[in-house]
Amino acid sequence: MTTLTTVGYGDLVVSGGSNLRGILGKAFVSFFNVYAVCISVSALGVIAKLALNQERKLVAKAKEKARSQLIQIFYADENE
């Protein structure tokens, strides 16, 4: 995020004060910063979604395994 939203820690700055070039430069940088934050958050959302889907699959497998073990235990008790 820092790489996308900073301008080299002051090495390059939008100058020009109140003339048209300075205003357009500052507007561009402002919109670029908002865009960069949106892209970063979107990428983090995709990564989080992948992680949650993987966790859901693991939980479903664990539940199914526990369920089958409980069924085996109860049926083993009935058959004895």
Side-chain angles (χ1 to χ4, degrees):
M1 174 99 62
T2 303
T3 304
L4 292 174
T5 58
T6 59
V7 188
Y9 297 105
D11 294 338
L12 298 172
V13 294
V14 178
S15 62
S18 61
N19 66 14
L20 183 60
R21 184 175 179 194
I23 293 171
L24 289 176
K26 289 178 183 180
F28 170 76
V29 170
S30 297
F31 287 118
F32 180 77
N33 285 341
V34 171
Y35 176 75
V37 169
C38 292
I39 294 297
S40 299
V41 169
S42 177
L44 288 175
V46 169
I47 292 169
K49 184 178 179 181
L50 291 173
L52 287 173
N53 284 340
Q54 192 67 18
E55 183 180 0
R56 286 183 186 132
K57 288 178 185 178
L58 291 173
V59 168
K61 284 181 183 180
K63 282 182 180 179
E64 184 60 35
K65 184 178 179 181
R67 182 175 177 225
S68 65
Q69 287 175 348
L70 283 173
I71 289 172
Q72 288 176 356
I73 290 170
F74 287 123
Y75 282 134
D77 289 343
E78 285 182 5
N79 292 334
E80 291 179 2

